[in-house]
Amino acid sequence: MIPVRIPSDHPRAESLHVREKLVQAYSNGIVATSGLIAHGRGEAFDYILGEKTTRPARNAIEVAAAILLTANSPVISINGNTAALAAKDMVRLGAITASKIEINLFYRSWERELAVKKLLLKAGAHDVLGVGANASAKIPELSSERRRVDPKGILSADVVLVPLEDGDRTEALVRMSKKVIAIDLNPLSRTAQKANVTIVDNLVRCAPLLTKVAASLKKKGHRECEKIAHDFDNGRNLAESIILMKNNLSTLAKAELAGRR
Ligand code: PTJ
């Protein structure tokens, strides 16, 4: 595949760089074909969100960091897109919060598992769960390949971070009494609605921030983290993201009507 040269003065250079990263990861067997489609959907929501980390997203990031830090057995679930866009941050977050790293793919194949594992090891991971026969346990009432999990990881976890997920597994994990933290630009998705904590933000922006917040919260100690995690209402926070999107659209429509755009 020929790498694309993106002019630095292109008005959407940053977004094009992210796309290019995914395309490269697709040709390296890390990202699924549908991962490219999923990214496009995310981009559309990000556009409406104003392509920045909002106040409700910051709220959810703080709560997510607090929950990971106070969990007994937290796991970060990694799929193709997450590996391509945020492998280093996820490994760092795992080290700060003592979370295990587990590969969980919707479009599971041995080749993809190995490609994602290789990338995670290169990013500094020591132990990568959920590969091959190690994903020997099954999430009940789930028929997709996501049902296959590692008994040492997701199966026995009390908290699971699921960036860019599809709704079924989130619902199934919640049914198993696990706390689910989702990262999803679409506040209307089933994942976003069913998770205990939803960070409505682009993984590319929120992964480094989540890592930074976790590092600073860790210094504040367990009690402070428990307090932060306790007072959170995900429904209300999701509603705030939706209202922000609605307001952004209203502002754009008004500008359009006023002929200023
Ligand atoms: O690697 P695999 O095989 O596990 O497959 C991964 C994908 C993403 C293909 C799979 O999980 C899938 O099909 O997901 P969905 O159902 O398309 O959901 C992905 C969600 O992530 C959508 O709601 C998107 O809006 C959202 N999304 C896409 N890109 C980003 C994002 N959210 C945050 N940051 C992004 N960069």
Side-chain angles (χ1 to χ4, degrees):
M1 175 153 312
I2 304 159
V4 175
R5 199 190 73 79
I6 298 157
S8 57
D9 60 349
H10 191 287
R12 301 209 44 84
E14 228 173 282
S15 165
L16 294 180
H17 278 296
V18 175
R19 275 192 192 177
E20 192 49 27
K21 234 185 199 179
L22 279 169
V23 171
Q24 289 298 326
Y26 169 72
S27 61
N28 293 337
I30 290 160
V31 167
T33 320
S34 295
L36 301 176
I37 298 169
H39 183 75
R41 179 145 53 132
E43 276 185 341
F45 281 99
D46 204 13
Y47 213 88
I48 302 172
L49 205 58
E51 293 180 310
K52 54 177 187 254
T53 303
T54 63
R55 201 186 53 78
R58 282 177 197 278
N59 250 348
I61 285 171
E62 193 183 35
V63 173
I67 289 176
L68 285 170
L69 286 164
T70 49
N72 291 321
S73 193
V75 173
I76 301 173
S77 180
I78 305 284
N79 62 16
N81 288 48
T82 305
L85 296 180
K88 275 195 180 150
D89 285 308
M90 290 296 130
V91 169
R92 213 170 294 144
L93 181 66
I96 293 166
T97 59
S99 302
K100 293 172 185 159
I101 303 280
E102 177 165 342
I103 296 174
N104 184 276
L105 304 175
F106 188 81
Y107 303 98
R108 199 182 259 274
S109 74
W110 177 234
E111 291 75 19
R112 282 193 71 217
E113 285 176 48
L114 288 186
V116 173
K117 182 179 175 183
K118 198 170 144 198
L119 183 66
L120 289 167
L121 292 177
K122 201 171 153 208
H126 297 298
D127 199 10
V128 178
L129 304 180
V131 178
N134 290 336
S136 59
K138 287 197 176 79
I139 299 176
E141 299 169 53
L142 191 64
S143 51
S144 77
E145 280 296 293
R146 283 217 191 281
R147 74 186 184 284
R148 291 174 49 194
V149 290
D150 198 315
K152 287 197 280 177
I154 290 171
L155 188 74
S156 48
D158 56 343
V159 173
V160 188
L161 171 65
V162 295
L164 271 93
E165 181 75 0
D166 16 65
D168 291 16
R169 187 172 66 134
T170 298
E171 277 189 282
L173 292 174
V174 170
R175 270 201 305 272
M176 290 168 83
S177 304
K178 298 180 193 301
K179 259 195 188 146
V180 178
I181 302 166
I183 301 171
D184 194 330
L185 276 161
N186 177 4
L188 309 172
S189 77
R190 224 150 26 97
T191 304
Q193 300 279 328
K194 297 290 176 187
N196 302 92
V197 178
T198 308
I199 303 169
V200 180
D201 196 14
N202 197 321
L203 175 69
V204 172
R205 284 190 304 270
C206 100
L209 191 57
L210 179 56
T211 308
K212 199 171 142 199
V213 171
S216 83
L217 268 188
K218 195 174 179 175
K219 292 183 199 138
K220 295 193 176 168
H222 203 88
R223 275 185 84 113
E224 181 65 22
C225 287
E226 276 182 340
K227 225 160 63 187
I228 292 168
H230 185 260
D231 297 330
F232 184 70
D233 179 341
N234 200 42
R236 183 181 286 251
N237 207 58
L238 271 174
E240 281 185 34
S241 292
I242 296 168
I243 289 166
L244 273 176
M245 286 175 158
K246 185 197 87 172
N247 291 346
N248 285 347
L249 286 174
S250 296
T251 308
L252 288 168
K254 277 182 198 149
E256 204 63 62
L257 286 172
R260 282 187 279 117
R261 297 187 76 240

